[in-house]
Amino acid sequence: MEGSGLGENVTHRLLSARWILVASIAGVFLVASQGAAGYGLAAAVCAIVVAVAAFAPRRSLRERRADREAEANRPALASMTAEALAAAVSDPMVIFDRSGSVVHVNSACAVAFPGLSTGTSLSLRFRAPEMQEMLARALAQGRPLSIDYSEKVPVERFFRVAVSPVGDGGDRLVMIFKDQSEIRRIDRMRADFIANASHELRTPLASIAGFIETLRGPAKDDPAAREQFLQIMQTQTARMARLIDDLLSLSRLEMKPYLSPSDRVDLKPLIEGVIDALNPLAEESGVRIDAALGGDPLIVAGNRDELIQVFENLLENACKYGRSGGLVEVTVNRAGQQNGIDVSVRDHGPGIPEEHIPRLTERFYRVDVETSRGQKGTGLGLAIVKHILTRHRARLTIGSRPGEGATFTVHFPPAGI
């Protein structure tokens, strides 16, 4: 830096000397040609030239410094290829030519769209009408365009897709996919929460409001009616509290669907603890819980609290809806460590009609609404089970025939997976 400053100082002095020399020559010429009258004109010219000498060189130096910096940066910019720039983009990015063929995809794009590689025709890979139209317009008009695009397989994803020409000749275009799936999922979850909560809370709230009005009016001085209505109001508020708790649990699970638990949990003592906690409910329902868990540990990868919630929901449902059978059986099938662990909960109640089975894990879906509410159900238990098992990379299967009870089986992958 010191050497650079010294060089610039020397250059500045040389430039100043050059301007002073020009001013001197101009003054001598004016005096020689105009005589005494030229002295004043010569002095004015010298003043102007000196002023130019004072300011013009400094500006020239700044410009030269900028030129030097630009020259220093030019090789670095020239060495950055389109592939290097694409690799620095975190969103899926495709570079393609005027024929619609892929020239380059970055790593994010290769992960998001397997099989999309150099030479692939974009119009053959993206068959949705909106993508076809955007590609045709982009290739024909050569101007920036953007659309909303979704893919259903293997999972539903939403993207904001932007296409823009790049380069001086316009022979290359770039397409960037901005993933909107999380935003859409959160918006949908918020809308579902509001719709479901308002629907399920409306009935108990209306009931409580009606009882309050009655207690303030006709039943104001009736102790027996007052006691009866207060008991119903307490039951309804307890149901609303359970509903809110289940909705909050479901919302928390939906906020982290892809975060697989890594702790190792032994299902044997966990299920035994759940059975002990539910024995009073089983006795009240006239049901006996029989568990055949074997003597060996049942190790799975999971979150202990969430797995407790899974088996609490399954066993509680079996006790409530299978009471006519008098028995709930919990069994384990382990066909080798490579095949994981299956835990089944079977009741001997009336069973479930086949047409209802595919929808049992939907929120608020009930086979019999009145029976479910009579059993203090919220319609969210199996939805919570499904979301927990999805996070654990496990799955739930349901088998039932009317009159033969129902079996809910949880399939856990091997603990190492």
Side-chain angles (χ1 to χ4, degrees):
M1 292 297 295
E2 292 179 359
S4 175
L6 179 59
E8 290 180 0
N9 190 33
V10 171
T11 303
H12 176 68
R13 291 184 178 182
L14 290 173
L15 289 172
S16 299
R18 184 185 64 184
W19 283 105
I20 293 171
L21 179 60
V22 170
S24 300
I25 294 172
V28 171
F29 175 78
L30 288 172
V31 171
S33 62
Q34 301 292 330
Y39 283 107
L41 184 58
V45 171
C46 288
I48 293 172
V49 173
V50 170
V52 172
F55 294 100
R58 287 188 174 85
R59 182 174 181 277
S60 178
L61 287 174
R62 286 198 298 272
E63 292 175 349
R64 292 190 179 191
R65 185 182 302 169
D67 290 342
R68 286 197 300 272
E69 292 176 354
E71 187 67 25
N73 291 331
R74 189 171 294 116
L77 290 173
S79 66
M80 295 183 69
T81 63
E83 289 78 6
L85 290 172
V89 177
S90 59
D91 296 317
M93 179 176 174
V94 182
I95 301 174
F96 59 102
D97 58 24
R98 301 293 300 183
S99 68
S101 297
V102 174
V103 174
H104 177 74
V105 297
N106 66 355
S107 57
C109 186
V111 172
F113 305 102
L116 188 62
S117 58
T118 302
T120 303
S121 173
L122 290 176
S123 60
L124 294 179
R125 170 57 180 84
F126 299 102
R127 306 301 296 268
E130 61 271 23
M131 286 290 285
Q132 294 279 323
E133 181 182 356
M134 184 186 68
L135 286 169
R137 290 174 57 195
L139 293 172
Q141 302 172 8
R143 62 184 181 86
L145 297 169
S146 61
I147 62 166
D148 291 323
Y149 168 69
S150 64
E151 288 206 343
K152 307 296 184 183
V153 180
V155 295
E156 190 174 32
R157 296 177 298 170
F158 297 90
F159 297 95
R160 184 65 179 173
V161 185
V163 175
S164 179
V166 294
D168 297 334
D171 58 339
R172 292 287 187 270
L173 296 95
V174 63
M175 180 186 297
I176 298 179
F177 296 80
K178 190 70 176 179
D179 197 336
Q180 305 287 306
S181 303
E182 185 69 8
I183 296 174
R184 293 288 189 95
R185 188 183 65 80
I186 291 173
D187 288 343
R188 183 185 301 170
M189 184 176 64
R190 186 185 299 113
D192 288 347
F193 179 88
I194 294 172
N196 293 333
S198 62
H199 172 75
E200 291 294 324
L201 292 174
R202 186 178 294 114
T203 299
L205 283 174
S207 175
I208 291 172
F211 288 133
I212 291 174
E213 184 177 352
T214 303
L215 288 173
R216 296 180 65 183
K220 183 176 182 181
D221 299 320
D222 187 342
R226 184 168 61 246
E227 184 62 28
Q228 179 187 1
F229 291 160
L230 287 174
Q231 179 62 45
I232 296 174
M233 292 167 64
Q234 183 178 6
T235 301
Q236 295 291 350
T237 53
R239 176 170 173 257
M240 284 192 293
R242 290 194 303 272
L243 177 61
I244 291 171
D245 288 341
D246 283 350
L247 282 169
L248 291 174
S249 295
L250 195 55
S251 296
R252 283 193 293 268
L253 290 168
E254 289 180 333
M255 292 298 291
K256 50 181 180 180
Y258 307 115
L259 301 177
S260 299
S262 58
D263 295 339
R264 295 173 67 83
V265 179
D266 187 352
L267 292 179
K268 186 172 183 295
L270 184 149
I271 295 174
E272 289 172 344
V274 171
I275 292 173
D276 290 340
L278 291 179
N279 270 330
L281 173 64
E283 294 176 2
E284 181 184 337
S285 302
V287 173
R288 177 173 57 88
I289 302 176
D290 184 16
L293 304 178
D296 296 329
L298 305 173
I299 305 299
V300 299
N303 178 284
R304 180 178 178 80
D305 292 337
E306 291 182 2
L307 292 177
I308 288 175
Q309 196 171 6
V310 165
F311 291 105
E312 279 181 345
N313 276 307
L314 294 179
L315 283 167
E316 187 175 344
N317 284 347
C319 291
K320 288 179 179 178
Y321 302 108
R323 61 171 60 191
S324 62
L327 177 66
V328 172
E329 297 176 287
V330 183
T331 57
V332 173
N333 178 26
R334 182 168 51 187
Q337 191 64 21
Q338 296 301 318
N339 297 319
I341 296 173
D342 297 342
V343 181
S344 298
V345 177
R346 181 185 179 188
D347 66 66
H348 294 267
I352 305 168
E354 185 177 356
E355 65 269 19
H356 293 287
I357 291 177
R359 300 191 61 188
L360 288 178
T361 56
E362 293 181 14
R363 290 192 235 184
F364 298 106
Y365 185 82
R366 299 179 176 94
V367 176
D368 186 331
V369 175
E370 294 304 320
T371 300
S372 175
R373 287 179 175 170
Q375 297 293 343
K376 301 180 181 180
T378 63
L380 293 173
L382 291 179
I384 291 172
V385 168
K386 184 188 77 170
H387 279 78
I388 291 176
L389 295 182
T390 298
R391 204 169 83 83
H392 283 70
R393 302 296 185 263
R395 57 190 178 90
L396 176 70
T397 58
I398 305 171
S400 179
R401 291 183 180 179
E404 299 183 9
T407 302
F408 292 78
T409 303
V410 179
H411 306 271
F412 289 99
I417 297 180

